[in-house]
Amino acid sequence: MSDIKPFRIQTSDEEIADLRRRLAAARWPEAEPVDDWSMGIPLAYLKEVCAYWGEGYDWCKRAERINQFPQFKTEIDGVDVHFLHVRSPNPDALPLVLTHGWPGSIVEFLKVIGPLSDPAAHGGDAGDAFHVVAPSLPGYGFSSQPKETGWGVEKIAATWSTLMQRIGYDQYVAQGGDWGAMVTTAIGIQDPDHCRAIHLNMPLAPPDPETMNDLTEAEQAAMAGMQHYQQWDSGYSKQQSTRPQTLGYGLVDSPVGQAAWIIEKFWSWTDCNGHPENVLTRDELLDNVMLNWLPGTAASSARLYWESFNSPPMGDVKVPVGCSIFPKEIFRTSERWARKQFGDLLHFNTLDKGGHFAAFEQPETFVDEVRTCFRSLRT
């Protein structure tokens, strides 16, 4: 279509030279007076990562991993939406839109796009195939930054519905975690005529007050996790939901600051046994940082918190819902809480391993969950 333009990541030598100059000239704080991550990302580790980033990391090679997938841009309501679009060789494949969150990017999905779109080539059943669409949220990655307010999760959900129609998918399913879960939930509320079902790996299904005197062990753990988040892990969200612009100046100017702000969350939110590189490679972590650093999205990505953090989509979801609960997720729900929130619970499963960035951390499990969730829609 004429209003959908092909896109490839292209980075100039000047951008790479500028990054390396900034890394080499970094002004460091003193080391933390603790021997763990309790005060934030440790100085010694961040120095090691940044030294590798400036001297050993090959962005050109890493970018080609992304460029192997067909990428496009299209303008919707004044925002140039960047998206991956991989058509399945199976013409009967089910269209699927995948939505990432913060501080993530479409990098999260690179390991699952192949198995989802061409399962037969990855040891699966061709009947489980999807046409995969993975957009970058407005103000994230290579999508442009909104110039007006109002770009909360409901507007993004409407934008994704427009995007799927524009591509040519009248009927589709949707999946998301983190902000992607909120956008996907909003799709399920707003677009039941076109969205057939949704799958969430961080479902917004709060504790049911009627169960407070009869909590299961898993529900007690979920409540404790919420308390831990509020007490020790939510400072970033308070800043981003109140003063995102102030935060942006430092992070857009300093690659060290941007890396620290992001990688600490991969330590905190992945099922990594104390270190993010136990589950993701250093290159993978830096790939995601680069999709924040190169387009300078620290302020624009944080603004989504300002727009929507205190008003999550909690309306009536009009389509079937699937939930996959990973043990190290920030917010976890139980099946009975989910059934109270969602009228038609299509799928619910609690996994043994994995965290907040499910597709990134546990791609095989993620693929199995998505296939299982939507399989009944194909009959």
Side-chain angles (χ1 to χ4, degrees):
M1 296 176 64
S2 61
D3 49 1
I4 296 179
K5 308 294 186 184
F7 175 84
R8 283 178 61 83
I9 298 172
Q10 294 179 311
T11 309
S12 69
D13 292 342
E14 289 76 15
E15 288 176 290
I16 298 300
D18 176 68
L19 168 62
R20 289 173 174 165
R21 177 187 62 79
R22 290 170 184 267
L23 288 168
R27 184 184 183 201
W28 299 92
E30 71 282 1
E32 65 284 354
V34 293
D35 60 0
D36 56 24
W37 290 60
S38 61
M39 284 190 171
I41 188 167
L43 175 67
Y45 174 61
L46 188 60
K47 279 190 168 183
E48 184 180 316
V49 168
C50 288
Y52 173 73
W53 192 8
E55 299 165 11
Y57 175 77
D58 186 346
W59 168 245
C60 291
K61 180 179 178 181
R62 302 301 295 178
E64 283 308 305
R65 292 181 62 250
I66 306 173
N67 282 335
Q68 69 179 306
F69 299 103
Q71 298 172 77
F72 305 88
K73 279 192 174 185
T74 190
E75 186 271 323
I76 302 175
D77 285 346
V79 168
D80 289 330
V81 176
H82 165 253
F83 62 99
L84 307 183
H85 179 206
V86 179
R87 291 187 185 273
S88 173
N90 180 352
D92 297 323
L94 187 60
L96 167 68
V97 58
L98 298 171
T99 310
H100 66 86
W102 184 92
S105 68
I106 50 95
V107 166
E108 293 178 46
F109 300 127
L110 298 185
K111 291 182 280 193
V112 303
I113 291 174
L116 288 172
S117 63
D118 191 3
H122 295 81
D125 184 340
D128 283 328
F130 297 90
H131 299 304
V132 179
V133 179
S136 298
L137 289 165
Y140 287 66
F142 294 106
S143 286
S144 67
Q145 291 127 341
K147 294 179 173 59
E148 300 175 345
T149 60
W151 280 90
V153 294
E154 289 84 2
K155 186 175 179 74
I156 297 171
T159 300
W160 277 196
S161 299
T162 299
L163 175 65
M164 295 301 278
Q165 299 292 302
R166 184 172 294 179
I167 293 171
Y169 298 136
D170 182 66
Q171 298 287 303
Y172 66 93
V173 294
Q175 194 288 327
D178 191 82
W179 282 113
M182 297 193 192
V183 170
T184 301
T185 300
I187 291 173
I189 295 170
Q190 297 172 188
D191 194 27
D193 291 341
H194 301 102
C195 180
R196 297 179 60 191
I198 64 174
H199 175 267
L200 310 169
N201 56 283
M202 194 185 78
L204 298 176
D208 179 1
E210 296 180 3
T211 66
M212 289 301 101
N213 294 325
D214 182 31
L215 294 175
T216 66
E217 185 176 337
E219 289 168 343
Q220 292 176 38
M223 296 286 287
M226 294 177 198
Q227 179 63 35
H228 173 81
Y229 176 83
Q230 292 298 331
Q231 187 172 0
W232 293 108
D233 209 20
S234 60
Y236 78 98
S237 63
K238 191 68 172 178
Q239 179 66 31
Q240 296 192 157
S241 61
T242 57
R243 300 292 186 271
Q245 190 68 17
T246 302
L247 175 69
Y249 297 112
L251 300 189
V252 167
D253 188 59
S254 168
V256 170
Q258 181 69 94
W261 193 248
I262 290 174
I263 293 175
E264 184 220 281
K265 295 308 172 195
F266 280 83
W267 162 79
S268 183
W269 297 344
T270 57
D271 190 0
C272 67
N273 194 29
H275 199 289
E277 291 185 29
N278 287 336
V279 67
L280 297 169
T281 68
R282 186 169 295 181
D283 278 351
E284 287 173 335
L285 290 168
L286 287 172
D287 291 345
N288 186 65
V289 173
M290 285 293 273
L291 261 68
N292 288 264
W293 171 257
L294 285 172
T297 60
S300 59
S301 62
R303 288 185 200 122
L304 184 50
Y305 287 77
W306 187 90
E307 295 278 5
S308 291
F309 191 72
N310 295 314
S311 56
M314 300 300 290
D316 181 20
V317 178
K318 301 178 179 67
V319 301
V321 180
C323 302
S324 298
I325 312 302
F326 289 84
K328 296 300 182 180
E329 182 57 85
I330 306 171
F331 305 116
R332 301 184 301 280
T333 193
S334 68
E335 184 169 354
R336 62 175 173 172
W337 293 348
R339 290 192 181 279
K340 184 72 175 288
Q341 181 65 29
F342 305 119
D344 185 355
L345 194 62
L346 178 68
H347 170 78
F348 189 94
N349 194 23
T350 300
L351 289 310
D352 295 328
K353 190 174 183 180
H356 186 64
F357 306 93
F360 212 4
E361 299 176 57
Q362 299 295 330
E364 292 183 4
T365 301
F366 177 88
V367 167
D368 286 344
E369 287 295 293
V370 172
R371 288 174 178 169
T372 301
C373 175
F374 294 126
R375 191 169 285 145
S376 65
L377 302 179
R378 300 176 186 272
T379 58

